[in-house]
Amino acid sequence: MNKAKMKKLLWAIVKYATLVFGSFVSVLPVVVCVITAFKSPEEYAETNVMTLPKSWTYFENFVQAWKQANMALAFRNSIIILICVLFFSILTGSMLAYVLNRFKFPGNGLIRNLFLFASLLPGIAMQVSVYQIMYSLGWINSLFGYIVLMCGTDVISIYIFIQFFENISVSLDEAAIMDGCTYFGVFFRILLPLLKPAIITVMILKGVGVYNEYYMANLYLQNKNSFVTVATSLFKFTGPLGNQYNYICAGVILTMLPALIVFILCQKQIYGGLAQGAVKG
Amino acid sequence: MRNFIKWITSAKVNKVLCIITFMFVPLALLTVFTYIPFGKMIGFSFYDMKYIGDREFVGLKNYAEVFSRDDCFKALKLSLYYIAASFVQLGLALYFATLLSFKTKGGGIFKGLMFFPYLVCGIAVGFIFKFFYTRGFVLDTVLQWCGFNLDNLPYWLKDTSINNISVAATSVWRYMGQNMVLFIGAIMSVDAEMYEAAAIDGAGGWQKFRYIIFPSISTIIVLNLILAITGSLSVFEPPYVITGGNFGTGTYFVIMDKLAHASQKVGLASAMAIVLLVIILIATLLQKLFFRYFIGEGEHEAIRAVRKRKKREALAAAGNGGVQS
Amino acid sequence: MRKNAKRLLALALTGAMTLSFAGCGSKDEGEGKKKDDGEFSLTLDQIKLGEDYTDVKADLKFLTHKTDVIDTKFKEYITEFQKLYPNINIEYEGITDYANDITTRLSTGDWGDICMIPTTVDKDDLGTYFVKLGDQEKLGETYVKDWLNNFTYQGSTYGVPSMVNAQGIVYNKRVFEESGVKEVPKTPDDFLAALKKIKDNKKVTAPLYTNFAADWTMNAWDAYISASTGDPDFMNSGLTKGKEPFTDRKDGTGPFAVYNLLYEAVKQGLTEEDPTTTDWEGSKPMINKGEIGCMVLGSWAFVQMRDAGDNGDDIAYMPFPISVNGKQYASVGPDYNYGINVNSSKDQKIAAMCYVKWLVEESGFAGGEGGLSVVQGDALPDALSSFGDVELLVDNPAPEGEENLFNDINNDSELGINVSGAIPKATLEAATQGSQNMEELSKEWNEKWTTAQKNNGVE
């Protein structure tokens, strides 16, 4: 009996020790960023990076980073992009999934495979030719163009929706059709509301992706005076006129904050959503 | 007019209309932003061309060059680091997920802290880890606290014996928590009664994991393994944002990016992309076959298991088997 | 601001891609619009600042790489300029990664009225984007004619340099003196000996700081090739047509000597310990304080290093330590050039002309940034005051018909001279790891270069 107790205690120690260690490693790089962001340039030069700042109310770095990287505009743009992309990609993604799941028609399998294959294509390598297309459409330096592009490059959300539809009984549709509903009506009135969990999943996955996307944003939204996004605002700190680490860290923290706040507020939904994707995926 | 309305609302027409309208936008986007560029890229790979100026058709020369250059396939070897990293990542994620699926004090906080890196933007990751690995900065300081002497520590991004591990570790840092949350979700979906039954049978933690948790989430583990391995072949971001591919950390895509932009060899870079795509396709296919054979995938039993069972059934000559769930 | 930035230029995904359009689509568009006000024939030399066009009304947008002085120096410029031209408003847009982004911006047409012309624009394309600023012959009466070469096509000049850089080494004089280096080294061996002495000085963390992690800084090393030969034709003939140009000349000159200097410095531990995590912004106060001995960068860097702390007087500039027949050279070349949008309205073009002329002749921008002014007879900048009898070397333009030869061979060989800094980066990596010696490296470069020469018809 005693031995079992010992074993249990030992296990508990191992368990919490590893958990603490894992969490420590996960936050350490970011915590150091926070520390550095609160140091004055002189303090930064003189102290070890792990030494806590003298004052936690030294906001100068944040003010500078906010101004230099034009973050007010960046946040505005990112919010617009986020809302539009999420709205349209969820709408079109779920519509496509509905069609693919509910109707048998020639080409159904082909279309599924086309989407699947698309997810294997190397996105970075194709930007050369994508750029030519964006250019000929006149969508360089256009929020609209970027939003359309971001809506189009998504495969995972379609799969999540398809999987979700599989679990919604077809008899529901049939009943509605009997009542004189059109197929459009079935989708918008009956099924879309039922999709809520899947929509949350997609919002999270896609939302994180869109918010943090920098490669294409940098490529297609070049006029940073007007079209900077939160992720590309960080480019301000690179290059020949780069910046001190104090400002960089402050900038990094600023870009992370909204994600952090949303995360803390909607923790449950986020975990639930991801798990949903997992179980179905 | 009435006829028209009737016609348009008739089930059959309505269905076709619905299919067409609902599919139009996604398919148009897929064509314009994926398949047309893909086709163009295939075209580029047969030309000797820069971004500007004339192009010259060279047939398969670019492909021949991909295979004869020593830097391309050498870069693919780096994928081994990332594959190893993804095993570590999945292992850790599974371990923490199992811990956190049972009652744990402060579980929510641990979960949140470990998940958080997933939300950090790629550029920020670059900044954060350059800082993290700088000599005498974060990592070195922490290791000194643990009693290491700075003189015995390597230069994390310079020493070629360790720098690829340093870079790959950042990707573990970033995605472990997300994997963990996925696994927790999968574990939670296991019927709670099974645990209770197991507890009554006196199963310990390990037994529970081995016989209940692991089998029930094997599908998602396999799926993540497949993604991890194909992902490891096409790693781009970590070296791109942290080391710029210097000191032997240039992965296949980083080398490709350099060829395309610093040397303007668009044709060669396109050929490289296609070669990698073929490799990824083959790898995916092999893995699928492999896992189907040994573990089973989705709702299909493992082929090996099916064979065994069939053999058993044949031996027993019982006629009630063969139900493929 | 710097030649080095060219490296970013070519690296630029964006820039490069755009140019594919510069070659096709946008060209037609540009020509189409040009016809509308084809009669525009004003040139810089015809304008008398403060007298002509003082009543012109225009709003100008100016794309600049100098993001650091938009809110300070450029604001003062606008105020000053508006004293002469009260109805011209100028809005600056700073682009952090200018080299990377500007080529792409050009193709979109949405780039304002004045910009700094990227080097990636082909000469025969200049007229598609930019207003002709004058005839080189005519402008050459007041400006240094050779420095207009870069953006002159068939005698017409489309860009005027904002400043001209000399290539040397920025160093901390006090550190050199305190370490017992009395004379500025003139040969690679003297220079390495000096660095060794400095290394014994405990306060110094790196006698030579490469700033490797910043990437574009490594590309600076390529800029010393022509000075290492003392031959103004080397870049555009010696290198492009010469046989195995990277071979060791055994006399401490030539490209080999330049890169060998880097190799030896790294191998002997005279550079920073960890090149992968260098901090560009942090390096400026370090050299100012004397923790760094020197950096191999263009003269523009002198001002930044001088102003980065309280010890500005310690910062000095010296020529690259290679002597050809006992004589030292420093290559001099234009930094970014001002260019005016060919699609702007007539008033905007006139206003832009006035502003560009004012910037070049009156603003004092070049001197303030540590460069030479393109205007004949303007004083040498502080950075070059200690250059003494060093000969300033301007590369001759490529012979007619071979304007693209260097770029073609350079791209084909993947050596990225003045573009990607592939050679100095490989040198540093090899020296750090001890994986290859200089003979092996130079052999490899020679092979790549020779193959590329053959591919481009040079026998």
Side-chain angles (χ1 to χ4, degrees):
Chain A
M1 207 57 209
N2 213 359
K3 208 176 165 189
K5 228 178 191 173
M6 272 289 282
K7 208 172 146 191
K8 214 172 176 184
L9 184 73
L10 207 70
W11 172 235
I13 291 173
V14 172
K15 176 176 164 179
Y16 283 100
T18 46
L19 279 173
V20 168
F21 181 74
S23 309
F24 175 73
V25 172
S26 296
V27 292
L28 178 67
V30 179
V31 167
V32 181
C33 238
V34 176
I35 291 176
T36 308
F38 279 103
K39 283 182 182 173
S40 68
E42 298 78 40
E43 207 184 340
Y44 169 72
E46 282 155 19
T47 55
N48 183 286
V49 286
M50 302 286 283
T51 316
L52 295 181
K54 272 186 250 159
S55 145
W56 287 103
T57 48
Y58 180 80
F59 287 113
E60 183 57 24
N61 295 325
F62 292 97
V63 174
Q64 282 296 328
W66 179 269
K67 268 198 220 149
Q68 286 188 14
N70 201 358
M71 288 208 182
L73 182 67
F75 277 112
R76 204 201 65 161
N77 283 335
S78 275
I79 288 170
I80 294 174
I81 292 170
L82 205 58
I83 290 174
C84 295
V85 170
L86 287 182
F87 180 79
F88 286 108
S89 66
I90 284 170
L91 190 68
T92 55
S94 57
M95 289 192 319
L96 181 78
Y98 168 67
V99 170
L100 289 179
N101 178 258
R102 289 301 203 245
F103 302 128
K104 281 202 180 98
F105 57 94
N108 187 319
L110 176 74
I111 289 170
R112 282 174 192 241
N113 284 329
L114 279 179
F115 274 97
L116 198 64
F117 185 70
S119 69
L120 292 174
L121 296 177
I124 300 267
M126 294 207 308
Q127 291 312 313
V128 177
S129 33
V130 172
Y131 188 93
Q132 298 193 341
I133 290 165
M134 290 291 280
Y135 177 81
S136 48
L137 290 169
W139 284 354
I140 310 288
N141 279 334
S142 135
L143 272 190
F144 174 78
Y146 178 69
I147 288 169
V148 173
L149 180 71
M150 292 306 285
C151 287
T153 46
D154 190 33
V155 180
I156 293 155
S157 53
I158 292 168
Y159 265 76
I160 290 173
F161 284 128
I162 290 185
Q163 239 105 36
F164 203 84
F165 272 118
E166 272 167 12
N167 290 352
I168 301 177
S169 169
V170 189
S171 56
L172 217 59
D173 308 24
E174 283 161 358
I177 296 280
M178 295 291 236
D179 289 348
C181 221
T182 61
Y183 286 99
F184 294 90
V186 171
F187 175 74
F188 286 108
R189 291 213 201 110
I190 318 259
L191 295 177
L192 205 53
L194 287 176
L195 275 184
K196 208 176 134 204
I199 289 175
I200 290 173
T201 311
V202 171
M203 272 177 76
I204 291 155
L205 289 175
K206 187 109 189 169
V208 171
V210 172
Y211 182 76
N212 286 333
E213 204 287 319
Y214 64 90
Y215 195 91
M216 289 191 275
N218 186 41
L219 195 56
Y220 301 116
L221 299 175
Q222 293 154 14
N223 182 349
K224 301 238 165 41
N225 267 17
S226 331
F227 300 121
V228 65
T229 71
V230 173
T232 56
S233 71
L234 287 176
F235 275 113
K236 196 86 187 177
F237 302 120
T238 63
L241 298 166
N243 230 312
Q244 283 123 348
Y245 263 119
N246 313 54
Y247 294 161
I248 295 178
C249 286
V252 165
I253 301 298
L254 284 174
T255 60
M256 263 186 233
L257 266 178
L260 183 67
I261 291 168
V262 172
F263 171 60
I264 289 171
L265 290 181
C266 316
Q267 240 186 89
K268 256 205 181 119
Q269 285 85 336
I270 289 176
Y271 292 147
L274 275 178
Q276 199 84 39
V279 176
K280 300 292 188 283
Chain B
M1 192 62 205
R2 188 176 288 169
N3 269 347
F4 178 75
I5 290 170
K6 205 170 180 187
W7 179 77
I8 204 109
T9 49
S10 77
K12 211 172 178 183
V13 175
N14 188 248
K15 193 165 149 185
V16 174
L17 215 62
C18 179
I19 290 175
I20 292 170
T21 45
F22 278 17
M23 289 209 313
F24 178 75
V25 175
L27 281 186
L29 290 177
L30 184 73
T31 316
V32 172
F33 293 123
T34 305
Y35 283 102
I36 293 180
F38 179 55
K40 278 195 169 188
M41 190 175 73
I42 295 178
F44 290 167
S45 72
F46 297 109
Y47 285 89
D48 179 7
M49 61 179 283
K50 293 191 241 168
Y51 288 99
I52 9 162
D54 308 327
R55 54 175 78 177
E56 186 194 341
F57 185 80
V58 292
L60 291 171
K61 189 175 147 251
N62 288 325
Y63 289 93
E65 203 180 333
V66 172
F67 286 97
S68 61
R69 291 176 71 99
D70 52 355
D71 55 351
C72 291
F73 283 91
K74 214 160 81 190
L76 267 188
K77 274 190 213 150
L78 294 190
S79 303
L80 292 177
Y81 287 101
Y82 292 91
I83 291 174
S86 53
F87 279 123
V88 172
Q89 178 184 319
L90 290 175
L92 285 174
L94 200 55
Y95 171 75
F96 285 122
T98 314
L99 291 192
L100 292 174
S101 331
F102 297 108
K103 230 174 124 188
T104 305
K105 281 204 183 83
I109 292 171
F110 289 127
K111 196 163 142 187
L113 291 179
M114 285 192 270
F115 176 74
F116 181 67
Y118 174 64
L119 301 173
V120 179
C121 156
I123 303 224
V125 170
F127 284 130
I128 290 173
F129 278 97
K130 256 189 238 164
F131 195 68
F132 186 80
Y133 285 129
T134 297
R135 185 70 164 175
F137 278 22
V138 189
L139 184 56
D140 288 346
T141 308
V142 173
L143 288 177
Q144 276 171 297
W145 290 347
C146 301
F148 286 92
N149 189 333
L150 185 63
D151 294 332
N152 298 333
L153 293 173
Y155 289 90
W156 301 105
L157 297 175
K158 181 176 94 167
D159 288 358
T160 41
S161 53
I162 191 136
N163 58 7
N164 277 302
I165 298 173
S166 310
V167 176
T170 65
S171 119
V172 176
W173 175 80
R174 202 166 161 203
Y175 294 109
M176 192 279 283
Q178 189 245 11
N179 278 170
M180 178 188 78
V181 169
L182 287 184
F183 289 155
I184 291 176
I187 293 172
M188 289 304 194
S189 68
V190 174
D191 200 343
E193 279 174 28
M194 287 178 78
Y195 296 117
E196 282 159 27
I200 290 165
D201 287 350
W206 168 247
Q207 272 112 354
K208 271 190 218 165
F209 175 78
R210 173 69 188 82
Y211 294 106
I212 303 175
I213 296 179
F214 190 75
S216 57
I217 63 171
S218 64
T219 314
I220 179 172
I221 293 175
V222 167
L223 192 80
N224 275 288
L225 265 180
I226 292 183
L227 288 178
I229 293 173
T230 45
S232 301
L233 290 170
S234 51
V235 171
F236 177 73
E237 190 170 279
Y240 180 73
V241 294
I242 297 172
T243 61
N246 292 318
F247 281 91
T249 55
T251 56
Y252 191 86
F253 265 176
V254 172
I255 304 254
M256 187 197 76
D257 190 71
K258 278 193 180 166
L259 279 175
H261 303 127
S263 306
Q264 301 250 320
K265 297 195 170 177
V266 178
L268 181 61
S270 299
M272 277 183 80
I274 308 260
V275 168
L276 189 69
L277 178 66
V278 172
I279 293 174
I280 286 177
L281 285 180
I282 294 172
T284 314
L285 217 68
L286 284 180
Q287 289 174 73
K288 281 215 155 159
L289 291 176
F290 178 84
F291 286 117
R292 194 167 279 175
Y293 189 81
F294 285 101
I295 299 177
E297 189 194 344
E299 281 153 16
H300 301 286
E301 259 179 285
I303 293 170
R304 195 177 61 156
V306 175
R307 275 203 199 136
K308 266 191 189 162
R309 195 192 58 217
K310 286 219 168 124
K311 223 173 185 177
R312 259 197 329 265
E313 284 163 3
L315 280 175
N320 58 345
V323 184
Q324 285 224 352
S325 56
Chain C
M1 180 175 83
R2 65 192 53 94
K3 230 175 165 181
N4 321 348
K6 258 198 235 159
R7 153 185 202 339
L8 286 170
L9 249 184
L11 248 188
L13 171 73
T14 49
M17 293 202 297
T18 328
L19 279 187
S20 48
F21 307 110
C24 36
S26 55
K27 200 179 206 168
D28 311 326
E29 196 184 315
E31 275 163 5
K33 281 190 189 167
K34 216 166 64 179
K35 272 175 204 153
D36 298 342
D37 40 19
E39 73 278 10
F40 189 82
S41 60
L42 185 65
T43 56
L44 277 187
D45 48 278
Q46 292 165 0
I47 298 174
K48 283 206 182 82
L49 280 177
E51 292 176 24
D52 298 338
Y53 304 111
T54 45
D55 52 348
V56 160
K57 261 192 197 164
D59 293 325
L60 299 179
K61 185 163 174 185
F62 195 138
L63 293 197
T64 181
H65 60 296
K66 291 287 295 172
T67 48
D68 52 337
V69 291
I70 286 180
D71 293 328
T72 53
K73 205 182 252 179
F74 287 163
K75 268 208 177 123
E76 290 164 25
Y77 286 176
I78 296 171
T79 323
E80 278 298 308
F81 180 68
Q82 282 177 337
K83 284 181 188 161
L84 301 177
Y85 294 90
N87 298 321
I88 300 179
N89 289 313
I90 299 141
E91 183 206 345
Y92 274 97
E93 180 189 332
I95 301 180
T96 324
D97 203 354
Y98 190 85
N100 242 332
D101 294 344
I102 183 63
T103 5
T104 338
R105 278 296 283 284
L106 281 188
S107 77
T108 63
D110 169 27
W111 58 270
D113 308 289
I114 309 175
C115 77
M116 317 306 288
I117 306 177
T119 46
T120 43
V121 178
D122 278 346
K123 286 199 166 185
D124 49 356
D125 264 344
L126 284 169
T128 330
Y129 297 104
F130 303 105
V131 174
K132 176 180 163 181
L133 299 179
D135 292 318
Q136 189 180 21
E137 286 300 325
K138 188 82 184 145
L139 290 176
E141 288 169 10
T142 40
Y143 302 155
V144 181
K145 203 179 131 199
D146 284 346
W147 293 344
L148 301 174
N149 284 341
N150 283 14
F151 296 106
T152 295
Y153 181 64
Q154 296 179 342
S156 302
T157 299
Y158 295 91
V160 176
S162 54
M163 61 189 259
V164 175
N165 279 313
Q167 303 294 340
I169 293 176
V170 55
Y171 71 109
N172 188 310
K173 207 165 43 185
R174 188 173 47 80
V175 168
F176 272 61
E177 278 162 10
E178 281 177 4
S179 311
V181 184
K182 298 279 182 282
E183 261 180 58
V184 174
K186 291 191 166 147
T187 65
D189 290 341
D190 290 351
F191 186 69
L192 288 169
L195 292 184
K196 257 190 224 146
K197 280 190 192 162
I198 294 168
K199 189 166 184 174
D200 296 335
N201 183 339
K202 287 283 170 275
K203 271 182 288 177
V204 180
T205 50
L208 170 67
Y209 199 76
T210 66
N211 257 315
F212 180 84
D215 210 70
W216 54 268
T217 41
M218 291 311 287
N219 177 38
W221 287 86
D222 292 331
Y224 301 90
I225 292 182
S226 39
S228 74
T229 63
D231 174 7
D233 284 318
F234 185 74
M235 284 308 274
N236 287 314
S237 313
L239 197 55
T240 48
K241 305 238 183 95
K243 218 173 191 172
E244 309 206 320
F246 299 101
T247 312
D248 186 1
R249 299 182 178 189
K250 307 276 186 200
D251 60 355
T253 70
F256 182 92
V258 174
Y259 301 121
N260 191 47
L261 184 64
L262 172 63
Y263 188 92
E264 286 299 322
V266 174
K267 202 178 121 199
Q268 298 175 20
L270 304 173
T271 53
E272 67 267 27
E273 279 186 311
D274 185 358
T276 54
T277 50
T278 56
D279 172 8
W280 163 246
E281 202 59 32
S283 73
K284 295 183 196 170
M286 278 165 81
I287 192 172
N288 193 289
K289 265 188 275 181
E291 290 166 12
I292 289 172
C294 61
M295 293 187 216
V296 179
L297 290 169
S299 57
W300 57 267
F302 170 79
V303 181
Q304 298 199 5
M305 303 303 159
R306 188 189 62 194
D307 297 345
D310 303 330
N311 312 303
D313 292 343
D314 295 344
I315 302 299
Y317 204 67
M318 64 163 139
F320 199 79
I322 283 183
S323 300
V324 185
N325 298 325
K327 190 158 181 54
Q328 271 184 295
Y329 296 86
S331 23
V332 182
D335 202 297
Y336 275 120
N337 283 234
Y338 299 114
I340 297 172
N341 195 339
V342 77
N343 292 324
S344 295
S345 75
K346 194 173 172 192
D347 279 353
Q348 282 172 323
K349 281 182 198 165
I350 295 170
M353 284 260 187
C354 294
Y355 191 51
V356 166
K357 189 174 169 90
W358 185 85
L359 282 175
V360 170
E361 296 179 9
E362 306 285 333
S363 70
F365 174 79
E369 292 292 322
L372 292 83
S373 163
V374 72
V375 180
Q376 284 178 15
D378 275 9
L380 280 181
D382 304 347
L384 305 185
S385 55
S386 58
F387 259 36
D389 57 350
V390 172
E391 187 174 328
L392 299 182
L393 190 80
V394 184
D395 286 337
N396 289 336
E400 213 163 299
E402 292 178 7
E403 286 93 348
N404 295 331
L405 185 62
F406 175 79
N407 276 349
D408 288 343
I409 297 177
N410 200 23
N411 286 335
D412 206 347
S413 67
E414 292 169 22
L415 294 180
I417 294 172
N418 284 330
V419 176
S420 71
I423 294 182
K425 279 200 276 186
T427 307
L428 186 142
E429 285 191 22
T432 309
Q433 300 165 14
S435 54
Q436 279 170 301
N437 63 31
M438 267 307 280
E439 275 66 39
E440 289 162 340
L441 283 170
S442 62
K443 199 176 148 219
E444 199 180 303
W445 301 331
N446 274 331
E447 278 166 9
K448 284 185 173 173
W449 194 258
T450 309
T451 316
Q453 280 176 323
K454 273 189 196 138
N455 289 345
N456 288 285
V458 178
E459 286 308 316

